[in-house]
Structure formats: C-alpha cells, structure tokens
C-alpha cells in the first residue's frame, strides 16, 4: 500500500509539473495508458488472493480515477493558459494607420495629367482626339507638310533617322505631331476639328529639351474658317488651362512651311517671382506656333483649298506642364524617381473636368 501512496505522490507531481498538453499526454500514457504503471499494477490483481484483491482492487481503481480526474483538470488549465497566451501574442494594434491601397498611393505623372486637362478643355469645345504613328516616312513628316526637298527647315528639326530599308526608304522618328494633320485629312472629310497629343523626337538634350518630348497639335478645317477662330480658340484654351479669367496674347508673324500666314504666340505674364504667373504682369512668353493651313498641305491631304480652309497649331506639352506646375528641369520627367512623382504627381481618381476645375 505504501508504494501505491508513493506512486500517487509521484504521478500527481508529474501532472502538476506538465508544462503543456504534450507533456501531460506523456504522463497519461505512462500511468493509465495500456502499458502505464497503474495499468500494469491492475494486471497483477488476477494473481492475488481474494483478500488481497479486496483491498488492492478499490485502492488501484481509486488511484486510476483520481489520476484520470487530475489529468483532465490539468488539461483544462493548460488549454486555458494556451488560449490566453495566443490572445496576448496575436492582438491587432488597431492604432496602426491603415496601409494605402495602390489606387490611393499611386500617382499620375504630371504629363499624363496635363494631356488629360488639355483634352478635357478641347473636348468641351467640340474637338476629337486623333493619333498617328511615331515612326514616320519623310513624306508625312516633311514633304506633305510643304517642306521642299533640301529646304533648310528640314535641317532645323535634328531628325533621328533609321537605316534605309530594302527599297532605300529612310524612316524617321517624327519630329512633330504635324504629320497627323495629313493622315487625318486623308481619312476624314471636312469639317475637321481635332487635337493630336503625342510623343515627338529630336536629337537635343538639356534642362528644357529632351530627345523625346510631347506636343499637342490642333487642326480645324471647314468652309469659312479664319484667323479670328484661331485666335479665339487659343485664348479660350489658355484661360481654361492656366485657370485665369483673362489672358493677353500677342501674335507675331513667323514662318512654318505648312502654314500661311504663320504666327508665333506669346502670352503676357509676370516673370518676376519664382514661378511664372499668367493673367497679370508685363512680360511675354512664347508658348506656341500656329497659322492658317497652307493650300499645298490641304492639297497633299486631298482637300480642295478653293473650297476649304483651316488653321493649325502646335504646342509643347512638357513646357506647358513645367509652366503650370513649376517643375524646373524637364529631365526629371523621365527619371522614374519615386520621390519626384510622389511630390509632383496627381491622385489617380482626381480626373480633370471643366466643371470640377481642370487641376483640382
Ligand atoms: N510643328 C511645329 C514644330 O514642331 C509646330 C507648329 C507650328 C505646328 C505651327 C503647327 C503650326 O500646326 O501651325 O515646331
């Protein structure tokens, strides 16, 4: 009987000492499991005399029950402790700021923004958007725009040429968006009212020039189109784009092979501060070239110049973006620097509209 008492003390100490459910299971197997110490003792009951069995039987059964209950109780305690521990370790710190979704964290490049603003403004005036190829033939980039062979104006464009193809034709990266004027005339009958945003290429690079840059071309062709329409359209555009009530524009005579007469347009501004301000001041800044479409260009496009006339303009989008949003170096536009884009970029869901303000 004494060794039963000792066994009980030992077993209860092991149960109390079991640190987790796995250790407790080991104690269970070692005691009341098939080959456990208590089970082994119970197997000896059969060999005892009836008198011995009368005391040993209930004692062993009592021990077995007590151990079973103690294991169950300890298991309960361990399970609760494990849950407490998990709750402590797996708490969520709800004071952490929520991470921004890609739609909130992403930024629209200022150039994309400016193109969206410009198209919103011209769409409101009834223009549609046209596009054309960036790899052009000499014909569309120059000849059909009334650049005579060997004319010095061709050299002024610093053209990137490809190697001649098997037929000896030398393709080029378009130096301006003007070739799309001719593509459009070939495929569309007047009246035509289009704007053409797109990439253009010239071999030039410094703080305000990039070998790849962006232009916005405009073309209007109809029966009674005159320079007054040109002037009004550009003034309305500049007011809407720079978000001012008034702009003063100056049309200076100039030369482009594809327009006659041709003008360079300056807008009055204040250049005394760190950024250029439009709608005030006494300085002038040149912003675009324009003119009445040359009769030869209409002919190249398959349009009769005795019946139709029109106007066109070309404007540098990169420069407009720099002026409006105060970005000093054009090369930053194409550096893919995440800090620059997060500073100068626009929120993806703020789409420019005339009623909402083009830049807000
Ligand atoms: N294509 C000219 C350039 O890149 C810009 C230009 C000037 C376009 C006058 C026009 C225009 O349509 O009428 O320098």
């Amino acid at each position: 009987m004494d060794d039963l008492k000792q066994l009980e003390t030992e077993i209860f100490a092991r149960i109390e000492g079991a640190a987790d459910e796995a250790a407790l299971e080991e104690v269970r197997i070692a005691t009341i499991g098939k080959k456990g110490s208590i089970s082994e003792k119970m197997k000896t009951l059969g060999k005892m005399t009836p008198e011995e069995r009368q005391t040993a039987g209930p004692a062993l059964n009592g021990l077995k029950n007590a151990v079973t209950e103690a294991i169950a109780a300890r298991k309960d305690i361990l399970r609760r402790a494990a849950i407490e521990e998990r709750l402590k370790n797996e708490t969520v710190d709800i004071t952490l700021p929520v991470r921004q979704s890609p739609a909130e964290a992403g930024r629209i490049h200022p150039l994309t923004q400016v193109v969206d603003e410009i198209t919103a403004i011209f769409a409101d005036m009834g223009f549609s958007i046209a596009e054309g190829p960036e790899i052009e033939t000499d014909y569309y980039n120059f000849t059909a725009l009334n650049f005579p062979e060997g004319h010095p104006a061709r050299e002024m464009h610093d053209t990137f040429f490809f190697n001649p193809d098997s037929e000896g034709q030398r393709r080029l990266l378009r130096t301006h968006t003007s070739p799309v004027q001719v593509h459009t005339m070939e495929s569309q009958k007047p009246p035509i009212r289009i704007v053409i945003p797109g990439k253009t290429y010239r071999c030039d690079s410094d703080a305000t020039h990039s070998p790849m840059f962006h232009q916005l071309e405009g073309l209007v062709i109809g029966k009674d189109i005159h320079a007054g329409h040109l002037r009004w359209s550009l003034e309305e555009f500049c007011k809407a784009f720079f978000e001012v009530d008034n702009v003063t524009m100056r049309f200076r005579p100039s030369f482009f092979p594809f327009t006659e007469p041709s003008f360079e347009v300056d807008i009055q501004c204040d250049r005394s501060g760190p950024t250029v301000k439009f709608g005030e001041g006494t300085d002038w800044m040149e912003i675009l070239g324009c003119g009445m479409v040359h009769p030869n260009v209409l002919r190249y496009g398959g349009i009769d110049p005795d019946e139709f006339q029109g106007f066109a303009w070309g404007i540098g989008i990169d420069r407009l973006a720099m002026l409006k949003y105060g970005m000093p170096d054009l090369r930053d536009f194409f550096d893919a620097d995440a800090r620059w884009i997060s500073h100068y970029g626009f929120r993806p869901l703020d789409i420019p509209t005339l009623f909402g303000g083009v830049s807000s």
Side-chain angles (χ1 to χ4, degrees):
M1 285 316 274
D2 273 357
D3 49 311
L4 260 197
K5 255 275 138 311
Q6 197 185 332
L7 185 62
E8 183 179 331
T9 320
E10 253 177 54
I11 293 174
F12 273 74
R14 284 184 68 191
I15 292 173
E16 281 310 303
D20 52 30
E21 286 193 57
L24 189 63
E25 178 63 7
E26 270 176 38
V27 182
R28 190 191 64 79
I29 293 168
T31 54
I32 54 176
K34 254 192 193 155
K35 292 185 177 155
S37 49
I38 296 178
S39 310
E40 290 299 330
K41 279 204 185 310
M42 290 186 109
K43 284 178 200 159
T44 62
L45 283 175
K47 294 186 191 118
M48 291 182 186
T49 62
E51 294 75 40
E52 280 173 332
R53 200 179 303 133
Q54 231 167 21
T55 47
L60 273 174
N61 266 326
L63 178 60
K64 186 180 175 185
N65 289 342
V67 168
T68 309
E69 271 169 34
I71 288 178
R74 181 73 186 148
K75 198 170 189 165
D76 200 43
I77 290 170
L78 288 176
R79 192 167 287 164
R80 278 169 204 274
I83 290 172
E84 287 299 321
E85 190 65 18
R86 262 187 81 180
L87 283 175
K88 226 189 316 159
N89 292 335
E90 293 181 11
T91 48
V92 179
D93 183 355
I94 54 165
T95 62
L96 273 179
V98 179
R99 223 175 266 156
Q100 281 187 314
S101 75
E104 287 164 318
R107 285 292 174 268
I108 297 290
H109 195 285
L111 271 178
T112 310
Q113 165 76 15
V114 164
V115 170
D116 288 348
E117 291 179 19
I118 295 171
T119 47
I121 295 167
F122 281 108
D124 191 64
M125 290 198 235
F127 283 73
S128 12
I129 311 288
E131 286 183 322
E134 288 169 32
I135 296 176
E136 267 299 359
T137 57
D138 184 272
Y139 174 80
Y140 283 106
N141 200 77
F142 293 122
T143 309
L145 289 165
N146 200 35
F147 286 79
E149 292 284 344
H151 192 281
R154 287 184 181 228
E155 308 308 318
M156 281 162 60
H157 276 213
D158 299 314
T159 313
F160 287 112
F161 287 100
F162 289 85
N163 290 333
D165 63 17
S166 53
E167 279 140 41
Q169 218 204 95
R170 208 168 48 148
R171 286 179 193 270
L172 49 87
L173 289 174
R174 68 178 178 193
T175 58
H176 49 177
T177 41
S178 306
V180 188
Q181 288 191 26
V182 184
H183 288 295
T184 308
M185 289 182 215
E186 284 175 347
S187 65
Q188 212 175 305
K189 292 271 145 282
I192 293 173
R193 220 186 280 167
I194 52 159
V195 282
I196 308 148
K199 291 187 171 65
T200 45
Y201 303 84
R202 288 184 203 180
C203 188
D204 205 354
S205 180
D206 60 36
T208 53
H209 295 88
S210 145
M212 187 274 291
F213 57 106
H214 299 79
Q215 286 192 337
L216 179 91
E217 190 86 11
L219 177 69
V220 172
I221 296 175
K223 283 216 152 116
D224 303 304
I225 300 296
H226 55 71
H229 297 130
L230 163 62
R231 184 174 186 126
W232 181 86
S233 307
L234 292 176
E235 273 176 3
E236 287 306 303
F237 163 69
C238 287
K239 281 196 282 186
F241 180 74
F242 290 112
E243 300 174 66
V244 290
D245 292 333
N246 275 303
V247 288
T248 310
M249 296 179 112
R250 187 166 76 174
F251 283 64
R252 279 182 293 106
S254 183
F255 172 79
F256 301 105
F258 35 90
T259 42
E260 182 56 40
S262 304
F263 311 99
E264 271 171 325
V265 178
D266 304 332
I267 35 181
Q268 202 163 43
C269 58
D270 177 2
R271 297 169 88 157
S272 59
T275 56
V276 184
K277 289 197 199 105
F278 296 95
E280 53 191 282
T282 51
D283 301 312
W284 293 98
M285 178 174 280
E286 185 198 320
I287 60 153
L288 61 91
C290 61
M292 301 305 293
V293 180
H294 197 289
N296 286 348
V297 177
L298 292 171
R299 274 188 212 104
Y300 276 116
I303 291 174
D304 180 359
D306 293 326
E307 200 182 343
F308 294 103
Q309 47 193 331
F311 64 82
W313 77 86
I315 191 166
I317 297 178
D318 315 74
R319 179 117 182 288
L320 280 184
M322 290 167 83
L323 283 173
K324 183 164 179 181
Y325 294 114
M327 295 164 294
D329 195 324
L330 178 59
R331 289 167 293 199
D332 294 336
F333 281 44
F334 312 116
D335 265 359
D337 183 332
R339 293 162 305 175
W340 187 87
I341 189 81
S342 75
H343 180 77
Y344 285 110
F346 291 80
R347 296 173 165 278
L349 302 177
D350 293 348
I351 294 159
T353 57
L354 284 186
F355 51 88
V358 282
S359 64
S360 56

